Structure formats: structure tokens, C-alpha cells
Amino acid sequence: MSHQVVVHRSPELLAAATAARLITRLVDVQSACGSASLVLTGGRTGIAVLEQVRASAACGAVDWSAVDVFWGDERFLPAGDPERNETQARAALLDHVPVDPARVHPMAPSDGDLGDDPDAAAAAYASLVADRLAFDILLLGVGEEGHTLSVFPTSPAVYETERPVVAVRDCPKPPPTRVSLTLAAAREATEVWLMTTGANKAEAVAMALSGADEVQLPAAGARGRERTLWLVDTAAAAKVPAPPAA
Ligand SMILES: O=C(O)[C@H](O)[C@@H](O)[C@H](O)[C@H](O)COP(=O)(O)O
């Protein structure tokens, strides 16, 4: 399965163009299937795209009541904590579109019914998504050292092949405790979109697109069943090897 790379001239253009792409893709999937499943991520780029979806004149073209919303990973913090990916996604988009609350599936907070137990939160989410992993679109960010979701190089999570969702501890990117889909679970998605900007990501992007091993560069293991799309700005694309001359 090859991957597609789309380069935008700036982070702002990447966010706006990816938002337009996401709206169009959701509309197309809903036209064919009536509903759509979307997995959100955290991080600056992921949230900026959601903000641009909300700002788009085409936002209302999506039947938001027929979108099933999931998260690829979550910071294991109390409900409403401003650092939670859910909190940021709600502020950026979900609180401003008519989603069906029953179809929005956040990962458990650290102060919820499951208690301060990330393993229990991971097991509960694994049960929820077990037979729903064929997500239509799974959005991902990419870290400087090549992490994606909350799967970091050489971490226990990167070796996980049985469970679709795991607890992550001692995460190099704060906060240290998280809940995350595994790469194997992410690969069940129909389309995986990796979105990142900035010169500090150029090395990770180039390594991922040059066949790096997923243990050392987890983003390299993020592939969709039908499509893997890298959405980057010029700075993040700076070290991507030029395609061979036709
Ligand atoms: O919870 C998180 O932080 C994200 O899941 C993480 O994987 C993020 O997407 C990357 O670290 C990129 O973040 P930036 O887009 O802010 O660089």
C-alpha cells in the first residue's frame, strides 16, 4: 500500500485545506453509507484542523448527527481538564455542531466511573471499539521523534499486537499517563491521515516516508487499509526524498 503526500505552503493553509478535505470526505462517505466514523487526535495541528472545520462555510454540509466520533488517544486527566484532547476537540468543533451525544465516544477521564486506572480505561475503550475498528477516517499527528497517537519509539505500546487500546505510562510528551489505540488498531482504519507542520518534524516525516521501522519511528507504521495520506507543510516536507524521475 503506497502513501500519498500532499504539501501545503504554510501551517495555516494545511489546516484550512485539510478541513475542507475532511468535510468533503465525510460528505462522500455519508452519501454512500448514511453515516461516517471519524477518529480525532490531539496536538496543535489536529486541533487547528477541527477549528478550521468549524470555521468553514461548508461545515453544515456534514450531517453531524450521523458522525460517530472516537479518539485515537487521550491524556489520562480529569474530565474537563484543558489538556485533554476531548476538551480541546469539543471547544474547537464538537460543541459547535449538532453531533449526537450518544455517538461521541471519549476515552475515560481519570476521575470517572472507572477511577484513576488507565488500564481499566484502555480495556473499556477496547471493548467499545473492538468490532468498529474499520473507521472511515483516522486523523493523526506526528511528534518530532516520530511518535503518533501516544505510541512512542521503543515503548511497550509499539510492540502491542493483541489489544487494540493500551494504557501508556511515562510518556515522553506530557502528561505522562495516556490511553491510546495501538498501531495495529490504527491499521484497521480505511483511511489514515497524518498531519504535521514545522521544520522540527522534517526528520521524522522523511524517515517515515523512507521506510523506517515502526518500532523506531511509530508514524511509519500508521497506514490505512485503503489510503495513507501525509498532509504536511513545506517546512515539514523539507527532507522528504524527491520521487524518482519518471
Ligand atoms: O495527545 C497528543 O499530544 C497527540 O495525540 C500527539 O500524538 C500529537 O498529535 C503529536 O504530538 C503532534 O502534536 P503537534 O501537532 O502539537 O506537534
Side-chain angles (χ1 to χ4, degrees):
M1 171 60 60
S2 70
H3 47 250
Q4 180 185 0
V5 181
V6 175
V7 182
H8 290 293
R9 292 195 306 279
S10 71
E12 295 75 18
L13 272 175
L14 181 134
T18 302
R21 178 187 296 274
L22 180 58
I23 288 168
T24 302
R25 187 71 194 127
L26 289 169
V27 169
D28 286 356
V29 171
Q30 290 185 328
S31 300
C33 313
S35 65
S37 56
L38 171 63
V39 183
L40 304 181
T41 191
R44 194 170 25 89
T45 305
I47 298 302
V49 168
L50 300 185
E51 289 168 344
Q52 290 302 311
V53 168
R54 174 192 173 192
S56 168
C59 183
V62 177
D63 176 359
W64 291 102
S65 69
V67 177
D68 293 297
V69 180
F70 300 86
W71 273 264
D73 68 324
E74 184 58 275
R75 292 97 178 265
F76 194 61
L77 296 166
D81 188 293
E83 281 305 300
R84 271 179 62 89
N85 294 335
E86 175 200 2
T87 308
Q88 295 181 20
R90 288 187 184 280
L93 174 64
L94 301 180
D95 287 351
H96 307 281
V97 289
V99 290
D100 176 350
R103 299 181 75 161
V104 177
H105 307 286
M107 292 176 165
S110 61
D111 61 350
D113 298 343
L114 299 174
D116 189 10
D117 179 351
D119 291 301
Y125 215 72
S127 300
L128 173 76
V129 302
D131 57 355
R132 310 172 74 167
L133 289 172
F135 303 116
D136 294 305
I137 305 156
L138 187 145
L139 301 178
L140 294 176
V142 180
E144 282 188 40
E145 78 301 292
H147 81 259
T148 193
L149 298 164
S150 289
V151 179
F152 284 75
T154 70
S155 67
V158 82
Y159 296 99
E160 179 66 44
T161 55
E162 298 305 316
R163 296 170 294 164
V165 187
V166 293
V168 173
R169 293 178 171 84
D170 307 320
C171 187
K173 176 178 181 182
T177 307
R178 293 155 170 256
V179 177
S180 180
L181 288 183
T182 61
L183 291 177
R187 288 194 284 263
E188 293 299 315
T190 304
E191 295 198 10
V192 168
W193 298 8
L194 297 105
M195 318 167 294
T196 198
T197 65
N200 62 325
K201 307 296 181 74
E203 190 66 34
V205 171
M207 287 176 66
L209 295 175
S210 304
D213 173 71
E214 69 182 39
V215 171
Q216 304 302 327
L217 211 292
R223 297 184 296 273
R225 281 186 297 110
E226 293 182 11
R227 189 185 197 194
T228 305
L229 181 57
W230 282 80
L231 297 154
V232 296
D233 73 340
T234 307
K239 297 181 178 176
V240 174

